[in-house]
Amino acid sequence: MTAARTPFDLSGKLAVVTGARRGIGLAIAEGLAAAGADIVGVSASLEESGSEVGKRVTALGRDFTPLRADFADRAEVARLAATLGELGRPVDILVNNAGTIARAPAAEHPDSDWDHVLAVNLSSQFMLTRDVGRGMLERGRGKIVFTASLLSFQGGINVPGYTAAKSGIAGLTRALANEWAGRGVNVNAIVPGYVATDNTQALRADPVRNAAIVDRIPAGRWATPEDIAGAAVFLASSASDYVHGALLPVDGGWLGR
């Protein structure tokens, strides 16, 4: 007798995860693969073979396809979208996780840092989602998951470009959900709290800032990338079919404080 599929079963689905080489993206790719999805991993520096994410996905018995794209380059984002359209199978799940950060006080923040962060964290996200989403709309189904931030709700310190971009992601999530919910495509966002990744190394290395952050988190610790993966599986699965335009915090209780 065949076991019944759970609402979280992603067997037969194809998921694209950007920023998949490390950190949150790596954990999400592994989590989706564990739920049954084949994975297309995308990163600016993803190895053609032997990547950690590729090893983890294939160890779970799933197919893995590595692709490279510089998300600060619009032409490369357009080429990525075209490549995804030529895979021979449709993209069922798109996880927009690629991102970068630049730290400098607002009064000293260079235009180049602002432009780069907005290009990677917001403009490229819209371009890729628009192009991949078009195919989902034609088929009448699809799941799109953005990686937002606590700074989608708060101002942060010394990261004006990052805050602006992540606030934009919150608005983009709602805007696309308004247009696409009635056409079978779910658009939602995960709101990670403070996660122990390369992007937050400077904060964790600062004893004053680190202590202030941990003291503010009801759970009493930084998140691990794996803490984020379960939310991604939920938003990528049929369990979230009636969830549209949501910003799902995975923050150890930070926003509830």
Side-chain angles (χ1 to χ4, degrees):
M1 183 176 179
T2 303
R5 292 181 59 171
T6 75
F8 301 98
D9 188 354
L10 301 178
S11 298
K13 303 293 186 180
L14 180 64
V16 175
V17 181
T18 70
R21 185 172 180 269
R22 60 188 181 182
I24 292 173
L26 169 58
I28 288 175
E30 184 176 18
L32 296 176
D38 295 322
I39 305 295
V40 176
V42 187
S43 178
S45 57
L46 185 61
E47 301 89 342
E48 292 185 6
S49 63
S51 67
E52 180 63 23
V53 61
K55 291 176 181 176
R56 294 191 190 186
V57 169
T58 55
L60 291 164
R62 314 303 173 204
D63 293 336
F64 180 77
T65 302
L67 295 175
R68 286 189 178 186
D70 178 355
F71 289 94
D73 185 329
R74 289 192 175 199
E76 287 203 23
V77 176
R79 283 195 291 271
L80 170 62
T83 298
L84 294 175
E86 297 169 354
L87 292 176
R89 58 188 293 196
V91 174
D92 301 292
I93 301 157
L94 172 61
V95 180
N96 287 296
N97 173 73
T100 189
I101 195 166
R103 300 183 187 278
E108 303 163 13
H109 208 78
D111 290 350
S112 57
D113 282 355
W114 172 274
D115 290 343
H116 185 254
V117 170
L118 267 290
V120 173
N121 291 11
L122 184 58
S123 296
S124 68
Q125 312 275 334
F126 168 70
M127 292 175 60
L128 185 61
T129 302
R130 176 195 62 199
D131 293 355
V132 173
R134 192 178 295 121
M136 292 179 173
L137 292 169
E138 290 172 356
R139 294 187 297 274
R141 64 184 185 279
K143 300 281 186 172
I144 295 169
V145 182
F146 289 98
T147 301
S149 168
L150 293 178
L151 300 192
S152 299
F153 300 96
Q154 301 174 341
I157 300 171
N158 296 333
V159 286
Y162 185 86
T163 300
K166 291 300 186 179
S167 296
I169 287 295
L172 181 60
T173 298
R174 297 185 181 106
L176 295 178
N178 285 343
E179 293 192 36
W180 295 357
R183 301 176 65 183
V185 178
N186 297 74
V187 185
N188 295 290
I190 300 169
V191 181
Y194 283 89
V195 185
T197 66
D198 292 348
N199 275 354
T200 58
Q201 178 59 43
L203 291 177
R204 288 181 287 122
D206 182 331
V208 175
R209 290 284 285 129
N210 181 68
I213 288 167
V214 173
D215 287 347
R216 172 75 166 69
I217 301 171
R221 66 173 177 87
W222 287 72
T224 67
E226 289 71 24
D227 287 322
I228 312 302
V233 172
F234 166 63
L235 292 176
S237 73
S238 63
S240 64
D241 280 353
Y242 200 61
V243 180
H244 296 278
L247 302 171
L248 175 59
V250 185
D251 64 353
W254 176 283
L255 289 174
R257 186 68 177 261

